[in-house]
Amino acid sequence: MIEVKDLKKRFGDKEVLKGISTTFEKGKTSLIIGSSGAGKTVFFKCLLGLFEPTEGEIVYEEVSTKDMSSKKRHDIRKQVGTVFQYSALFDFMTVEQNVRFPLEMYTKLSMDEMNERVQMILEKVNIEEDALTKMPSEISGGMQKRVAIARAVVNKPKYLFCDEPNSGLDPKTATVIDNLIQKLTKEFDITTVINSHDMNSVLEIGEKILFLKDGLKAWEGTKEEILDTDNEAVSEFVYNSNLMKRVREVLQKGT
């Protein structure tokens, strides 16, 4: 579990996060949503350790990041898997090499053991064996996402962070990626946090949803509750997201 306590972040005189408290539970997919400028990307980067909070703390299973030693940070880093917005696969490595990379970095497994782990996780994300020797540029965007997910979970992390995992994907492929992330979250009992703007993802896998507005937690709840909330900011966000979805569908049919 991850517990966030009164998290604040300032850049000079600009206060971006103004005191956010929440929890993310293991075995569940949690989504951070909000309009542009709400603070969700800064909040996400604080969770990842890319930004140091100005005030407050983040607690990973009773281990606080406040005044944490570099060794302890490294230990937690080994327990984290990350799926970046545009997959961020190494373009000079094959699919197999990309997925094996975290094992080479953080484990002392033999090559045979690493290859066995890689094979197992690629099967779980439905990557065929003939794709192992291909370069990222030789596979589709959807397959790149699946490889990125495989790389993120191959080391059996406790925590999985996904930054806009559906960015650039068509709706059908995006749903496949959503369901894959949720399946692996359940199977490996991972604490999964997703930074997203996609209402389809929210309604598909949002077991917990955190809505940020102006650097504050404006609402939190489940995918069922978000459709019935009387919070005006959330209702407007959901309406506008669904409206834009319908506009895109109409435009696609027109072409």
Side-chain angles (χ1 to χ4, degrees), residues 201-243:
S201 297
V202 171
L203 299 176
E204 188 77 32
I205 61 172
E207 294 177 275
K208 173 172 181 170
I209 302 154
L210 178 69
F211 179 79
L212 301 186
K213 181 178 173 61
D214 298 328
L216 293 167
K217 180 179 74 175
W219 182 87
E220 64 182 348
T222 66
K223 62 183 181 181
E224 291 82 16
E225 293 168 338
I226 199 169
L227 295 177
D228 296 321
T229 180
D230 56 4
N231 184 299
E232 291 185 7
V234 177
S235 297
E236 182 180 359
F237 180 83
V238 172
Y239 173 79
N240 288 337
S241 297
N242 286 337
L243 177 62

Side-chain angles (χ1 to χ4, degrees), residues 73-204:
R73 285 183 185 275
H74 182 70
D75 290 341
I76 289 180
R77 179 66 249 177
K78 290 193 292 185
Q79 300 171 10
V80 172
T82 307
V83 179
F84 297 97
Q85 184 172 358
Y86 296 107
S87 300
L89 300 177
F90 298 116
D91 57 8
F92 55 90
M93 291 183 179
T94 65
V95 165
E96 183 177 26
Q97 290 169 336
N98 265 282
V99 177
R100 192 171 59 230
F101 180 75
L103 300 177
E104 295 174 336
M105 283 284 293
Y106 295 121
T107 76
K108 296 181 179 179
L109 297 175
S110 68
M111 183 59 72
D112 285 344
E113 289 172 324
M114 285 192 286
N115 288 338
E116 184 178 345
R117 180 84 66 82
V118 169
Q119 189 69 40
M120 179 270 292
I121 204 66
L122 285 173
E123 288 177 2
K124 288 187 179 295
V125 300
N126 298 318
I127 297 292
E128 301 292 338
E129 189 172 347
D130 60 2
L132 297 184
T133 58
K134 290 183 177 180
M135 307 302 284
S137 60
E138 299 176 309
I139 59 179
S140 68
M143 188 177 290
Q144 288 180 22
K145 291 287 186 180
R146 284 187 277 145
V147 173
I149 293 169
R151 183 178 63 182
V153 301
V154 70
N155 202 23
K156 299 181 179 178
K158 288 184 178 180
Y159 315 100
L160 177 63
F161 294 96
C162 305
D163 186 18
E164 301 282 7
N166 290 338
S167 180
L169 300 180
D170 64 85
K172 184 177 180 180
T173 304
T175 299
V176 170
I177 296 300
D178 283 338
N179 292 332
L180 176 60
I181 290 171
Q182 187 170 54
K183 183 188 82 169
L184 294 172
T185 296
K186 300 297 182 187
E187 184 172 347
F188 296 138
D189 203 24
I190 301 172
T191 302
T192 296
V193 182
I194 303 170
N195 186 33
S196 181
H197 70 280
D198 190 341
M199 275 305 299
N200 287 337
S201 297
V202 171
L203 299 176
E204 188 77 32

